Amino acid sequence: MPAFPAVPATPALLVDRDVLDRNIARMADAARTRGVSLRPHAKTHKCVEIARRQIAAGAVGLTVATVSEAEVFADAGFRDLFVAYPLWTDAARGARLRALAAEVRLTVGVDSVEGARALAEHARPGLTVLVEVDSGHHRTGVAPERTGSVAVAAASVGLEVRGVFTFPGHSYGPGQPAVAATDEAAALSRAVAALEATGHDADVISGGSTPTAHLDVPAATELRPGVYVFGDAQQLELGTIDEDAIALTALATVVSARDDTVVLDAGSKVLGADRAPWATGYGRILGAPDARIVALSEHHATVQWPADADRPTLGTRIRVIPNHVCSAVNLADDLTVVAGDTVVDRWPVAARGCNT
Amino acid sequence: MPAFPAVPATPALLVDRDVLDRNIARMADAARTRGVSLRPHAKTHKCVEIARRQIAAGAVGLTVATVSEAEVFADAGFRDLFVAYPLWTDAARGARLRALAAEVRLTVGVDSVEGARALAEHARPGLTVLVEVDSGHHRTGVAPERTGSVAVAAASVGLEVRGVFTFPGHSYGPGQPAVAATDEAAALSRAVAALEATGHDADVISGGSTPTAHLDVPAATELRPGVYVFGDAQQLELGTIDEDAIALTALATVVSARDDTVVLDAGSKVLGADRAPWATGYGRILGAPDARIVALSEHHATVQWPADADRPTLGTRIRVIPNHVCSAVNLADDLTVVAGDTVVDRWPVAARGCNT
């Protein structure tokens, strides 16, 4: 395993540029083949250089989760942004949304009558919204049949309702992607019918997650996957990608060892503490599929090394695949870009910590 | 519950200054009463203003987890720093340690013969070290009986061995603090005996965690708790503190609601995804002890509201107690300091992201 001597200190997040570019091209091709627009979620990478590559490959715009993420990408010159979140708008957030809408083609999510009213009151009438639909994740969004009543309320306060969106987050489980994609298609179809019954066209029918992005969702006109640019251990363990699609790893050093375990200097403050109930551990080791990260603290990952493999010695540099790459990236100030074993660039995580 | 209108946007981390000061004073008093030195772990707050308050209350110096944390606190004028971690030292890290040791009274951890040799070779002989002892957490550190051999190896390459340290991390479980404190005392005593048998004095015998800080560990001369400054939901659920010792909360807004649940705009990118197997959820709600955070994603906390209480309406601001406050602080650029309902200051998280 290459030690990346040009990286002055571990832990550090490495991005393999060639794998990244291949992931971006593949998703863009898949969207084109299916005839849907691709609007990647920038919360995964928070990185201007990566967003530029996505747009260059054909993405129609970016998805973001927060107004402050939208502000970062607007400042960097991106001109079509969708805040896929049911924002609560007060006077301060309203002023920020007005400033954004003056600069970019802005769309925001809404999932309640009250949320639509607050948006129109504090941001401005005329703002474009999509109604969020719950397709089975049961987080935010309204039941498909309620889409119409939210749309009517939004239109009555002067918002421009352009369609619906959903996030089939229940796709994140073994055997779940196909189920979630079926749910998503059904929910979007019913939501569109409810919207049209109130006299609104659904120009945008937006869905998608990385686990379901390769599945057909006939109702959708737009896909919003995020994780696909980097991949992560969750996607590996869900079986949606192979290790050759892993573009981001945390370079870590073995600092301690005993028996069949080693301790790495990348802990939850580098990898994130995310661990789904079905995960095999707190991430995976690149090139050592049978190693297991059995414990994680802030600056320690305890790795059980397989008995039939040589345990790495102290000082060895190891690449860790985070469970949830969005969390890992949001902990880093910059990404070290490599091509093969060579460091070729450093990209700032421009929207790191942009939660408001 | 106060809405903190002076906080322009949620989510935001609030620090209650009076509670913070009381927590700092209480731990300082407890250490004085027991006749041990207090060297608080600064990885919890990463904040110069809070470290100054700890020193003013009588702390002998600071504990840090990484060299980059040490660099931040050295730059801010702190002069006695212990890196409580078995660092792996290469040329680049060695140069940084030399620069630090020229400026401050620096101590670093060591838990292997190889680690001691790398430290002496790349940093410098004469550097002060403490040998890390495993007292039952089984993460890093050597068995107490092996302390002597590591000390001999360290001394043979010119390092100055001043004692031992341990972290009884297995105190983080229901019913575990007393067990862990007993283990800690036994391990430290045996480690000191092993050290002295090789002709080294144990001037420093350093231990402690927030869950065990109120328990007597007769062998220790120094305590290194971190979390006590803020408290968190883990400490509440372990029963080591009451809610009136919670100094840090995430101010969040209700953005969506259905049935008996509300969704807040503070997710894992604000609270951290930490969840111990024994935790009741992904954090707690201040002032609503029966509410449960049943799901967490990056920008959503799904809260099940108790049936006998009024469910908060959309737009209501709620204060969330993170499960693990160290993770939450490391996600924020600054802390909003409040006294009662009034915002009185804003402190930068100076060492945020300092993982190397």
Side-chain angles (χ1 to χ4, degrees), chain B residues 157-168:
Chain B
V157 291
L159 299 171
E160 189 192 332
V161 181
R162 285 202 64 216
V164 295
F165 78 106
T166 194
F167 174 63

Side-chain angles (χ1 to χ4, degrees), chain A residues 23 27 32 38 65 84 87 133 142 150 166 201 225 261 263-264:
Chain A
N23 291 345
M27 188 62 81
R32 256 189 299 272
L38 179 63
L87 295 176
V133 180
V142 295
V150 175
T166 194
D201 290 336
T261 64
V263 176
L264 307 179

